Amino acid sequence: MDGLGAPLDCEMIEKGLRTKRLGKKIHYLSEVDSTNLYARNLAEKGGSEGEIVIAETQTHGKGRMGRSWVSPPNMNLYLSVILRPKLPPLHAPQITLMSAVALAETVQSFSPLPPEIKWPNDILVEGKKLAGILTESSCSPEKILFAVLGIGVNLNFSRELMPGPIREIATSLMILTGSPVDRGAFALQLIQNLDRCYGDLEDKGFPFIAERWRSFFRLGGRRVRVEMVDQIILGKAMGIDGDGALVLEDETGTRRRIVAGDVIPLES
Ligand code: BTN
């Protein structure tokens, strides 16, 4: 058992993996600025699809919308994967939604309470954030050259060690279960699930993934505030469309597609 504070057992992960594409090579680092930056660097130098970067701690962990991701050592999971999907750039969001499904399914088998996906890709349990995904793509006009899929999961983060600004809005599997989680077992299952969902996206198409994504979506029909880089819109969250964009019915009754932003549920 990989206990609280012990380094991740990467050999166990490598030996246990039964995957088609992911994890043939795992770069295991004790410290890095950001696993996404490291993976991007590898991809730019020709790194292969499925190469994984895992770090025990990040000095500049990156979150969505320019935020940072708190990444203390030896207690959570910070992982990035290089993907080279055969998709046009317009469909890059499908990668993020696919990985949210894989992550939610993994959390489901470790958490006593059901996870939900907050569009596009936050994983919440009891309304608090357990995990986040940051996908960064490099594209030519006609294709995705590579995507770096970065995943951060609060596994053995105790409430006392969480910095003030996130203490009330974040949770961890240890907080939910009451005991430390085997980080190696979680990482292994997450990589397996990502491999399966990535295969499903390619073989069965996005509608198959979207249906599973919807089963984790709890804000359908709820009033929300959507905060985008340059504006805020109020409306009713209706679900996702065929490209993974959020469909929002604004206050005039007009349906709008939102491709990037933060969704905050409002009292109904
Ligand atoms: C979010 O804001 O919800 C996305 C958080 C993504 C954090 C992960 S941790 C591993 C990878 N490396 C990073 O720098 N960020 C992602």
Side-chain angles (χ1 to χ4, degrees), residues 33-37 58 60-65 67-69 71 77-80 121-122 129 131-134 149-153:
D33 47 2
S34 151
T35 55
N36 265 33
L37 283 174
Q58 302 183 109
H60 292 88
K62 297 199 288 175
R64 285 177 61 239
M65 319 264 293
R67 289 185 284 252
S68 58
W69 187 257
S71 312
L77 182 65
Y78 319 114
L79 171 151
S80 299
N121 49 16
D122 284 354
K129 184 150 166 175
I133 300 172
L134 176 67
L149 176 61
I151 300 180
V153 192

Side-chain angles (χ1 to χ4, degrees), residues 2-8 56 73-75 156 180 183:
D2 161 47
L4 180 60
L8 203 59
E56 283 294 356
N74 295 63
M75 60 182 78
N156 293 327
R183 294 188 305 140

Side-chain angles (χ1 to χ4, degrees), residues 3 5 10 21 30 63 70 75 80 101 109 115 145 152 190 210 221 226 233 254:
C10 247
R21 280 173 267 219
S30 52
V70 182
M75 60 182 78
S80 299
V101 170
S109 52
L145 302 171
L190 175 61
V226 181
I233 314 179
T254 309

Side-chain angles (χ1 to χ4, degrees), residues 22 66 84 88 105 111 116 125 130 171 178 209-210 220 222 234 240 242 260:
L22 267 57
R84 296 190 181 275
E105 288 179 351
S111 167
E116 80 175 90
V125 178
L130 180 82
T171 191
I209 295 291
R222 287 271 311 268
L234 300 179
I240 51 167

Side-chain angles (χ1 to χ4, degrees), residues 34-44 53 80-82 146 148:
S34 151
T35 55
N36 265 33
L37 283 174
Y38 193 94
R40 167 178 279 272
N41 224 340
L42 286 175
E44 277 166 355
V53 181
S80 299
V81 188
I82 299 174
F146 64 82
V148 169

